[in-house]
Amino acid sequence: MHRLLTDGRARAAAIDPSHARLWESVAQATEGGKRFRPALVSAAHDALAGTSAAAAAQVGAAVELLHTAFVIHDDVIDGDQVRRGRLNVSGTFTAQARDAGATPEGAAELGLAAGVLAGDLALAGAIRAVATCGAATDAVGRLLDLFDGALHTTAAGELADVRLALHLGPASLRESLAMEEQKTSAYSFALPLQAGAVLAGADEHTVERLGRAGCLLGIAFQLADDLIGVFGDPAQTGKSATSDLRTRKQTPLLIHASTTDEWAEIRDYVGRDLTDEQLLEARRLLTSSGSRGFVEELAETYLAEARGIVEDLGIPSAIVPALSACRPGLVERKEVAA
């Protein structure tokens, strides 16, 4: 990753200082992540006795750059200015323009443009890294097909997320899970597992089944993340514990809650800003209604099925801890007074 970013920094600097700052914002956006996507590429490659470690490392970095592109664009779509407790690309360029004397509208416009363009640069960098990874020609072609498929699937999931947020009609649990599978599973889990398998020369059945395992793992990951989005400690997670409730995000947690007897009370805490006391009460109701437990059990079910596929393939068990490590830890359950 360092080498890819350094190469991009040199190309950007050769154009002009403003563009160099834009690429620097891409480099900064890659910082602070868990790097589990590259770890999955290497884990799958090594578990299948691959001999292309250098190519696996570069493709892993490509997956991380792809993630960076999606994160930057996701912040643009959501209108967010902060990521991981600091200004993101759009926020940085907005603040710089405002400090330079731009109007609030003009500064926001520059920040929006910077976010779109920085995400595009990260996306192009990811594809270039795959194309130049040094693997055999047929393997590179297969990898590019996998990246292209992940791009299309993730775009569909992102659009579905925005569409569901319009609340044009009640969303079903199936729709919500499908959106989460498309938005998260395809590129964060299925893609790196399959890429590692391709680089190891695995047969198509193994590649396909690892893709399925990745989809299941991704849903488990997202379900856990949804719980963190309500029950987590923002100081530890860097994620708001009220945003999902305020924006009425149609997560499986809230969709399940809407079918319970407690919904008449829960919905009073949805769609508005909450005080600390109100958040505690919303958490209590989401727990007593059984919605929290339902999502926890569902996440564990998906995770167990993903592990089962890997084990059925006869892949060494060393990859199984790598699968579990990708999932956000389910937030510590504390007894809530009835």
Side-chain angles (χ1 to χ4, degrees):
M1 176 68 81
H2 176 74
R3 179 173 54 78
L4 293 178
L5 294 174
T6 299
D7 290 348
R9 189 175 286 113
R11 290 194 296 276
I15 296 174
D16 66 54
S18 294
H19 185 61
R21 287 195 295 273
L22 184 63
W23 180 259
E24 196 59 40
S25 73
V26 173
Q28 291 172 356
T30 68
E31 298 173 356
K34 300 180 182 68
R35 300 287 193 261
F36 69 75
R37 296 168 187 85
L40 279 181
V41 175
S42 293
H45 170 268
D46 295 348
L48 293 166
T51 58
S52 302
Q58 180 151 319
V59 172
V63 177
E64 194 69 10
L65 271 177
L66 181 67
H67 169 62
T68 299
F70 286 141
V71 163
I72 294 171
H73 282 159
D74 191 57
D75 283 348
V76 171
I77 292 169
D78 293 343
D80 290 336
Q81 299 279 297
V82 175
R83 168 73 62 166
R84 295 169 183 157
R86 64 184 183 187
L87 290 176
N88 59 17
V89 175
S90 294
T92 296
F93 277 79
T94 298
Q96 290 174 350
R98 191 168 53 242
D99 291 345
T103 64
E105 295 78 11
E109 186 175 348
L110 180 65
L112 178 65
V116 171
L117 294 171
D120 290 348
L121 287 173
L123 177 57
I127 301 304
R128 185 178 188 277
V130 175
T132 61
C133 73
T137 301
D138 58 342
V140 171
R142 184 73 178 96
L143 289 169
L144 289 173
D145 286 342
L146 289 173
F147 269 71
D148 188 61
L151 271 168
H152 280 280
T153 302
T154 305
E158 185 70 51
L159 191 61
D161 191 20
V162 176
R163 184 178 67 251
L164 289 176
L166 296 177
H167 295 271
L168 301 177
S172 67
L173 179 62
R174 177 177 294 182
E175 288 177 308
S176 183
L177 288 171
M179 178 272 293
E180 296 197 333
E181 178 178 349
Q182 290 177 331
K183 185 177 176 181
T184 303
S185 299
Y187 87 90
S188 286
F189 299 93
L191 174 61
L193 286 173
Q194 290 184 300
V198 166
L199 288 168
D203 60 72
E204 194 57 34
H205 172 74
T206 299
V207 174
E208 186 275 328
R209 293 304 288 160
L210 279 176
R212 177 58 184 160
C215 286
L216 295 166
L217 177 62
I219 297 172
F221 179 97
Q222 190 58 54
L223 288 169
D225 198 54
D226 291 340
L227 289 173
I228 290 171
V230 175
F231 294 95
D233 179 358
Q236 295 180 357
T237 67
K239 181 181 176 72
S240 170
T242 59
S243 177
D244 286 358
L245 294 173
R246 185 184 69 252
T247 59
R248 299 186 302 160
K249 194 167 185 179
Q250 299 208 46
T251 63
L253 177 68
L254 287 185
I255 289 174
H256 181 273
S258 70
T259 67
T260 67
D261 293 339
E262 286 84 350
W263 180 244
E265 295 178 81
I266 293 172
R267 65 185 175 191
D268 289 339
Y269 299 98
V270 177
R272 64 188 179 97
D273 290 321
L274 300 179
T275 65
D276 291 343
E277 291 75 15
Q278 290 169 334
L279 176 60
L280 285 174
E281 178 61 12
R283 288 172 169 174
R284 186 190 71 79
L285 290 166
L286 287 167
T287 301
S288 63
S289 67
S291 296
R292 176 178 181 174
F294 170 79
V295 173
E296 288 176 338
E297 291 177 9
L298 195 58
E300 294 295 348
T301 298
Y302 279 111
L303 181 59
E305 189 174 349
R307 284 174 170 163
I309 290 175
V310 172
E311 290 165 355
D312 287 345
L313 287 172
I315 294 175
S317 59
I319 196 175
V320 176
L323 298 182
S324 300
C326 298
R327 186 196 65 183
L330 293 180
V331 289
E332 180 183 357
R333 176 179 281 277
K334 296 180 179 178
E335 292 301 320
V336 182

